[in-house]
Amino acid sequence: MIPLGPLPAAVPPSWYLILSAILFALGVLGFLLRRNIITVFMSIELMLNAVNLSFVTFSYVLKRVDGHIFSFFVMVVAAAEAAVGLAIILTVFKNRQTLEIDEVSSLKN
Amino acid sequence: MDTILFLIFAAIAVICGINLVVQTHPISSALSLVGVMGALAALYLLLGGEFIAAAQLVVYAGAIMVLFVFVIMLLNAGTEKRLNVRPLGKYLGAPLLLVFFGMMAYLIQKVMPPSSPVVFGAFQGGTAAEIGKSLFTVYLLPFEVTSVLILIAILGAIVLARKEVD
């Protein structure tokens, strides 16, 4: 699959997609494993970044600019999401004095 | 040269990504995320996305991560409690993850139609001029709707974070 021996002069686009998939999987892993709200939130940002890399790679493959526009919009949405999300985290901390997601469970049951 | 650059920055991105998941202190995770974003900006440059690379550094690594670090400092977030992982997950988790990555790589190689390798400078469509042209003609409506989204986000952040005034 991955050629052993001398390295090719340039990598195929699928390597970028594999990197994107690995980063996305790491983001999912962090989202599921971490217990701190802020780290969970940062894992979401990592997933958004991984998707952006896919967009830009496909933009290169298809020789069109649309992928760049899409990743630009993803960045805008991520910025808006960070502003609102961090405000929510501040409010949660103000009301409960904790950042552990397991202790913020009043919607459970 | 392109291969070496890709491998270097991909390694930085993956190592920082793993570090983000493994570290227990939020500040370490935040700095790892900055590393991922910097490496991704370099990869965007390799793919011909000059504007996106600059925006990645300015918006993500500059603005969003500063906001994150600011909140972490403000809330004085400390180390989180260790997870108690079951022994099965402890010893089988990492190998299974590697197997999963391998299968994913195989699948992507298989599904992706053969295409010309990524050479730096082969794609010139990612300049600010091209993106601006596209943004203000084809994607004008989504671009304008984005401004409404940001306005709502600002209002939401203010409403959520304000002091209760009775």
Side-chain angles (χ1 to χ4, degrees):
Chain A
M1 180 177 53
I2 292 171
L4 297 172
L7 286 169
V11 294
S14 52
W15 289 25
Y16 284 86
L17 295 180
I18 292 170
L19 173 67
S20 160
I22 289 176
L23 287 178
F24 190 91
L26 286 173
V28 174
L29 207 64
F31 182 81
L32 294 176
L33 287 182
R34 292 267 67 102
R35 286 288 164 270
N36 189 311
I37 306 183
I38 299 177
T39 319
V40 168
F41 205 46
M42 283 193 284
S43 304
I44 298 175
E45 298 288 333
L46 180 61
M47 286 192 265
L48 289 173
N49 265 290
V51 173
N52 269 353
L53 182 60
S54 279
F55 272 132
V56 176
T57 308
F58 281 121
S59 195
Y60 180 91
V61 172
L62 300 174
K63 301 277 184 263
R64 292 173 65 98
V65 78
D66 305 59
H68 293 222
I69 308 278
F70 267 88
S71 62
F72 176 73
F73 283 132
V74 170
M75 273 181 203
V76 173
V77 171
E81 179 215 330
V84 176
L86 289 172
I88 291 175
I89 291 176
L90 278 178
T91 316
V92 166
F93 187 79
K94 209 158 60 184
N95 289 332
R96 297 178 180 255
Q97 275 75 42
T98 181
L99 287 174
E100 298 273 314
I101 46 173
D102 286 342
E103 292 175 27
V104 186
S105 58
S106 45
L107 280 181
K108 204 174 173 186
N109 299 326
Chain B
M1 191 62 192
D2 286 24
T3 308
I4 297 169
L5 282 177
F6 170 79
L7 289 179
I8 289 173
F9 288 113
I12 293 175
V14 170
I15 289 171
C16 287
I18 291 173
N19 202 36
L20 187 151
V21 178
V22 170
Q23 290 290 339
T24 48
H25 201 284
I27 281 285
S28 317
S29 295
L31 291 182
S32 313
L33 192 51
V34 173
V36 174
M37 284 162 177
L40 282 184
L43 290 176
Y44 293 161
L45 267 186
L46 278 178
L47 285 166
E50 302 166 16
F51 178 76
I52 291 298
Q56 169 90 359
L57 282 183
V58 172
V59 176
Y60 258 128
I64 297 183
M65 288 321 292
V66 166
L67 203 60
F68 269 98
V69 173
F70 183 73
V71 169
I72 293 170
M73 297 286 189
L74 181 70
L75 299 184
N76 202 9
T79 341
E80 65 184 86
K81 274 180 282 182
R82 291 304 305 185
L83 282 171
N84 31 357
V85 186
R86 269 179 255 164
L88 191 69
K90 204 171 183 176
Y91 296 115
L92 271 181
L96 279 180
L97 197 67
L98 281 180
V99 169
F100 175 66
F101 284 162
M103 284 166 63
M104 213 160 52
Y106 176 74
L107 203 70
I108 289 174
Q109 293 269 10
K110 193 139 186 158
V111 167
M112 186 76 183
S115 41
S116 56
V118 177
V119 184
F120 176 64
F123 176 57
Q124 298 286 352
T127 56
E130 291 290 327
I131 289 187
K133 215 183 286 171
S134 193
L135 207 55
F136 286 105
T137 53
V138 183
Y139 292 98
L140 184 61
L141 180 66
F143 181 68
E144 295 296 339
V145 172
T146 299
S147 62
V148 179
L149 174 78
I150 291 181
L151 183 67
I152 295 171
I154 294 172
L155 289 180
I158 291 173
V159 167
L160 281 168
R162 65 150 197 233
K163 256 194 183 139
E164 291 295 333
V165 184
D166 297 312

